[in-house]
Amino acid sequence: MHEHDVLVVGAGGAGLRAAIAAHEEGADVAIVTKLHPVRSHTGAAEGGINAALRDGDSWEDHAYDTMKGSDYLGDAPAIETLCQDSPEETIQLERWGMPFSREEDGRVSQRPFGGLSFPRTTYAGAETGHHLLHTLYQQVVKRGIAVYDEWYVSRLAVTEDPDPEKRECHGVVAFDVQTGEVAGFRARNGVVLATGGPGQVYDHTTNAVSCTGDGPAMAYRAGVPMEDMEFIQFHPTTLPSTGVLISEGVRGEGGILYNDKGERFMFEHGYASNSGELASRDVVARAELTEVNEGRGVNDEYVHLDMRHLGEERIIDRLENILHLAGDFEGVDGLVEPMPVKPGQHYAMGGIETDENGETLVSGLYAVGECACVSVHGSNRLGGNALPELIVFGARAGRHAAGTDLGEAIIETGRTEDTEIGEVDTPVAPGAIHTDTDDEAVTDGGDPRGEGASVIPEPVEIVERAVEAENRRIEHLMEKDEGVQQAELREKLQKTMTRNVNVFRTEAGLKQALRDIREVREQYQDVYVADPSRTFNTDLQQTIEMRNLIDTAEAITLGALARDEFRGAHWRQEYQERRDEKWLKHTLLSWNDGTPELWYKPVILEGEEKTYEPKIRSY
Amino acid sequence: MSTQVPQEQEEAEVDAGESRPRSPHQERRLQEKASKREEGQRESEERAREGEETVEIKVFRYDPEVEAKQEPRFDTFHVPFEKGMTVLDAVMYARDHYDSSLTFRHSCRQAICGSDAFFINGRQRLGCQTQIAELDTPVRIEPLPHQEVVKDLVVDMDSFYEQMEAVEPYFQTNELPEGDLEEQRQSRENREKIKMGTRCIWCASCMSSCNIAAGDDQYLGPAPISMAYRFAMDEREGEDMKEHRLRIIEQEHGVWRCQTQFSCTNVCPKDIPITEHIQGLKREAVKKNLKFW
């Protein structure tokens, strides 16, 4: 068994930042990641980091833009923390050598982005994420922080107690991808989940193949609530054939969207008469699909994004990466022709419920980055707000997990006296399916198993028990000789999510998706791993990931079906208006006895000095 | 046409290792699973016969643990062709539809994570960045040469990571401006100078293509030296640090081993002028030595 003070699961921007912060507080930190750190999906981020750095800008303005962009579903304490800490964290990256784009005077450049009232997006060409990821990894190397790379964390080691709020996390179970060895990792102080987004629940996504919602699904099954899962961001500009992202920086620099008739539709069809292409992402994504649906799409599928008028020099200076992407993956030369683009799944606003210190309701368990929901993005994330989230809340969670007192959090996790129990009419019983086989993956943490339940086991024993349980699960999957393979199930799940839980949502579609997810869940009982080898068994790993995709997809769809209003990225055909009187609240899903339970908590609109009043969102 | 094409085994540089003992039950399972794989390959051939437009790929196979795969071989798959299809798309299709034990690293599918560098038709390339339509068929896909093969297309990256870390690939400066929000200034020209070096995605294509690195496992190698260039030329690090960096790359197995063959520069998927960077550091090292005299 491996032992450290703080364990960080995942090595993208949030995980690396958390590890560095914990290390700076004197903790013995280790990073456990299923990839090597430089392979993490943060590297694919293109646009930039919002930070109020310049005269004329302020963190208050950044907070206001973010609250408005969130369609008033963000929590003010989280948003204000993001905007207050972002400048210092961004400059910290610069001091660690990050190669930002530069102004004439040698200071870092900033540019306009959608939904921002000031050009506050700090960037490094159109490859900001790559540079952020590598800069942070360099600092991890410099500090000699332990990295277990290509170790896949597949279970949390959580104490067994019927009440999730009384559970404690003492570590994780992981297997060495290269050898198949299963090992326990004990965390003396805390486990930080930084496992990234769940984009692989969709078949058209900007997300890497590794983005399978592992952290949220594991935490969910250990009793941690999932928050606001229905809010999935669809990026307006992805390449139609692959889902590769074309940065919002293109529109930030002046790129123009045209329909098949050559109309600049954002203005001409009144989708955003003031901001045009620079309206917020949800607005632009809906506008594009409306154009396609009304017969004005190019080849009935996409629209055109044109940057030719910016001139070669400016494009090479600020958007060079975009030329490569359009050329390599779509065969289009952005200097001589417009690029085809359509909306694609891009980001999950929801995730593991945390407070502004990154802590979840299970003590010793933290979550940061896209896998978490500290509620800075509400129902729609502004471009340029994901990277500051990683570094701001990564640093806070790392410090807190290392034992530093960050003060009492304002955001409360778990159930409070404001909790309201929700109900939704589902077409099938969602959640786990109990079979005769001893499926250890049904629920982790709950259900104390008889013997000596009154004696609380030592932390090491908790981890050992989790290792045993995980070994049983893996052996079960490996032993089976026939059944269904995960690739078939993954395709089925991705198809129904893209068809039914996309930019435009209907009640019938959402219900169909829940039926399909249920069917996939039933078939998963019969899943088997065909590769008999324990050496680098990606078949086994993907099969375990598949279970995480099922739970995540179901949470997204359940939340979407329950929320009968139109807010931010969540559009419902039957409900074309935001309904503040009923829905100014967060959706929470708890995994209880193997089935999801729905409940709500109010949004916190009171900031440090002001209260954010919901207004009609226009751009 | 045979389903499995064991050929060119002499090219395979693999260490078979020792296999674990197996129970009769496991043996039976292995056989059953092997026959399922053959079914998948038969299905792939049928598609080809039925006139569907397919592309033939030959993929290197090896697994130290599975008896049938201990002897390195090539498997042939016929994958339905679509315009825009990449090599990564093709091997993913083969894995998901014909043989789930086909193993390779991949993640972002957009040439930034650097994990799917393979030896494709005799050249180091990223699977995700290589269009099938631009290749001669059948397409041969092998693991990166000069690296130890773990399984199928997966190679051991540890020595590459160690060499990368040997050049101290992290920013080091003793002089920071005062005030928490004050940034270090960097001229646009200087950023331009180091820009290409910062684009490295650690895919190891250059290391795999380098004859010198192949014969000298202590040679720092193209990617690490290019990384050293990126820091040594960064004006935000002071002169003392630059000298420290030049000392690292001037060691016995450092820049002077480079014979300017340009193979690293030729295969780099991010178009980094690696050879130029190595030459640049040679020049800097000479200048420094002249100064000492």
Side-chain angles (χ1 to χ4, degrees), chain A residues 10-311:
Chain A
L16 296 173
R17 187 65 190 87
I20 293 167
H23 183 265
E24 284 182 340
E25 301 297 310
D28 159 28
V29 194
I31 296 168
V32 192
T33 166
K34 66 180 180 180
L35 306 169
H36 179 278
V38 301
R39 319 289 175 208
S40 304
H41 189 57
T42 298
E46 294 168 11
I49 307 170
N50 294 339
L53 293 175
R54 299 285 178 250
D55 289 346
D57 198 8
S58 68
W59 74 259
E60 288 91 345
D61 287 353
H62 184 189
Y64 175 78
D65 291 345
T66 304
M67 185 56 97
K68 177 186 172 191
S70 83
D71 220 349
Y72 302 93
L73 204 75
D75 284 334
I79 288 176
E80 293 193 343
T81 301
L82 176 88
C83 302
Q84 285 167 347
D85 288 7
S86 179
E88 202 171 316
E89 281 292 332
T90 304
I91 296 305
Q92 176 68 77
L93 288 171
E94 201 288 327
R95 291 177 165 213
W96 283 336
M98 181 161 159
F100 282 107
S101 295
R102 298 283 166 171
E103 292 300 321
E104 285 296 349
D105 66 0
R107 293 167 51 158
V108 297
S109 296
Q110 296 197 302
R111 66 180 162 206
F113 245 53
L116 299 183
S117 57
F118 190 90
R120 70 170 72 89
T121 307
T122 321
Y123 63 97
E127 52 206 35
T128 313
H130 165 79
H131 292 305
L132 180 142
L133 178 71
H134 281 254
T135 301
L136 288 174
Y137 180 61
Q138 289 158 9
Q139 293 299 311
V140 163
V141 172
K142 184 179 182 182
R143 288 164 173 75
I145 293 171
V147 180
Y148 297 86
D149 65 313
E150 295 189 332
W151 274 82
Y152 178 61
V153 173
S154 56
R155 180 181 292 258
L156 303 178
V158 172
T159 53
E160 292 175 350
D161 193 289
D163 180 359
E165 304 212 19
K166 291 187 183 145
R167 290 176 200 165
E168 292 168 16
C169 183
H170 290 292
V172 303
V173 185
F175 63 82
D176 182 349
V177 176
Q178 291 220 21
T179 66
E181 176 203 348
V182 178
F185 289 75
R186 186 197 161 198
R188 293 183 207 99
N189 291 11
V191 171
V192 181
L193 294 176
T195 60
Q200 286 296 318
V201 300
Y202 289 88
D203 66 2
H204 189 80
T205 174
T206 63
N207 283 197
V209 176
S210 58
C211 295
T212 51
D214 297 339
M218 285 190 293
Y220 187 38
R221 294 196 296 266
V224 183
M226 304 261 251
E227 182 173 349
D228 292 338
M229 292 298 285
E230 63 269 35
F231 297 106
I232 296 289
Q233 177 162 75
F234 298 89
H235 197 289
T237 57
T238 72
L239 295 177
S241 57
T242 51
V244 164
L245 176 68
I246 296 300
S247 168
E248 186 165 321
V250 176
R251 283 170 291 138
E253 296 292 343
I256 297 174
L257 290 168
Y258 293 109
N259 63 18
D260 193 38
K261 297 186 179 330
E263 296 165 318
R264 193 174 179 182
F265 58 86
M266 289 305 297
F267 289 103
E268 291 185 36
H269 290 265
Y271 298 107
S273 303
N274 296 317
S275 306
E277 284 82 5
L278 280 176
S280 143
R281 288 179 176 176
D282 56 329
V283 175
V284 182
R286 278 191 299 274
E288 290 176 2
L289 280 190
T290 304
E291 289 298 300
V292 172
N293 292 343
E294 292 182 358
R296 295 189 296 274
V298 184
N299 292 334
D300 287 330
E301 196 199 350
Y302 49 83
V303 296
H304 275 143
L305 175 61
D306 197 349
M307 62 176 184
R308 290 173 294 181
H309 56 284
L310 300 177

Side-chain angles (χ1 to χ4, degrees), chain A residues 39 94-95 97 102 108 127 130 137-138 150 207 209 478 481 485 529-533 535 539, chain B residues 29-30 33 63 65 100 105 107 109 113 151 165 169 177 179 183-184 188 191 198-199 202 230 236:
Chain A
R39 319 289 175 208
E94 201 288 327
R95 291 177 165 213
R102 298 283 166 171
V108 297
E127 52 206 35
H130 165 79
Y137 180 61
Q138 289 158 9
E150 295 189 332
N207 283 197
V209 176
M478 296 286 290
D481 294 336
Q485 288 193 278
V529 175
D531 186 352
S533 173
T535 303
D539 192 3
Chain B
R29 278 198 323 114
L30 289 179
K33 288 183 177 185
D63 187 332
E65 223 185 310
S100 66
R105 290 192 182 95
S107 188
R109 302 130 47 247
C113 77
K151 176 175 169 180
E165 287 171 15
E183 60 233 68
Q184 307 160 99
R188 284 185 164 181
R191 176 178 185 266
T198 65
R199 291 205 172 149
W202 296 44
R230 171 255 174 277
R236 295 171 296 172

Side-chain angles (χ1 to χ4, degrees), chain A residues 35-36 38-41 43-44 46 53-54 87-88 91 94-109 124-125 127 130-131 134 137-139 141-142 149-150 178-179 200 205-210 242-245 316-318 320-321 324-325 328-329 477-482 485-488 491 528-539 542, chain B residues 20 25-26 28-30 32-33 36-37 63-66 69 83-84 86 89 92 95-97 100-115 128-129 131 150-151 154-158 160-161 165 169-173 176-189 191-192 194-196 198-203 227 230-231 234 236 270-271:
Chain A
L35 306 169
H36 179 278
V38 301
R39 319 289 175 208
S40 304
H41 189 57
E46 294 168 11
L53 293 175
R54 299 285 178 250
E88 202 171 316
I91 296 305
E94 201 288 327
R95 291 177 165 213
W96 283 336
M98 181 161 159
F100 282 107
S101 295
R102 298 283 166 171
E103 292 300 321
E104 285 296 349
D105 66 0
R107 293 167 51 158
V108 297
S109 296
E127 52 206 35
H130 165 79
H131 292 305
H134 281 254
Y137 180 61
Q138 289 158 9
Q139 293 299 311
V141 172
K142 184 179 182 182
D149 65 313
E150 295 189 332
Q178 291 220 21
T179 66
Q200 286 296 318
T205 174
T206 63
N207 283 197
V209 176
S210 58
T242 51
V244 164
L245 176 68
I316 298 281
D317 183 41
R318 302 177 182 199
E320 186 186 345
N321 185 40
H324 295 307
L325 294 174
D328 290 344
F329 300 105
L477 290 172
M478 296 286 290
E479 279 295 311
K480 277 172 85 163
D481 294 336
E482 54 184 15
Q485 288 193 278
Q486 67 81 26
E488 192 184 318
E491 196 180 322
Y528 83 109
V529 175
D531 186 352
S533 173
R534 291 305 287 265
T535 303
F536 223 103
N537 192 334
T538 50
D539 192 3
Q542 287 191 298
Chain B
R20 297 177 192 176
H25 170 70
Q26 279 173 316
R28 183 177 55 76
R29 278 198 323 114
L30 289 179
E32 281 172 10
K33 288 183 177 185
K36 282 207 175 66
R37 271 204 304 281
D63 187 332
E65 223 185 310
V66 175
K69 280 172 74 181
K83 188 175 170 288
T86 65
D89 293 333
M92 283 172 74
R95 177 196 63 195
D96 290 348
H97 294 87
S100 66
S101 74
L102 179 56
T103 305
F104 46 92
R105 290 192 182 95
H106 66 298
S107 188
C108 75
R109 302 130 47 247
Q110 60 183 79
I112 197 73
C113 77
S115 58
C128 65
Q129 205 188 22
Q131 292 284 322
V150 175
K151 176 175 169 180
V154 174
V155 295
D156 185 2
M157 295 287 285
D158 286 351
F160 173 76
Y161 294 142
E165 287 171 15
Y170 36 80
F171 189 73
Q172 303 181 71
T173 181
L176 284 173
E178 279 178 30
D180 291 339
L181 291 179
E182 212 39 57
E183 60 233 68
Q184 307 160 99
R185 306 273 174 131
Q186 181 186 25
S187 67
R188 284 185 164 181
E189 294 70 30
R191 176 178 185 266
E192 204 55 34
I194 64 162
K195 185 176 85 178
M196 295 311 286
T198 65
R199 291 205 172 149
C200 177
I201 56 173
W202 296 44
C203 70
M227 188 59 61
R230 171 255 174 277
F231 286 106
D234 192 321
R236 295 171 296 172
K270 304 309 278 188
D271 300 325

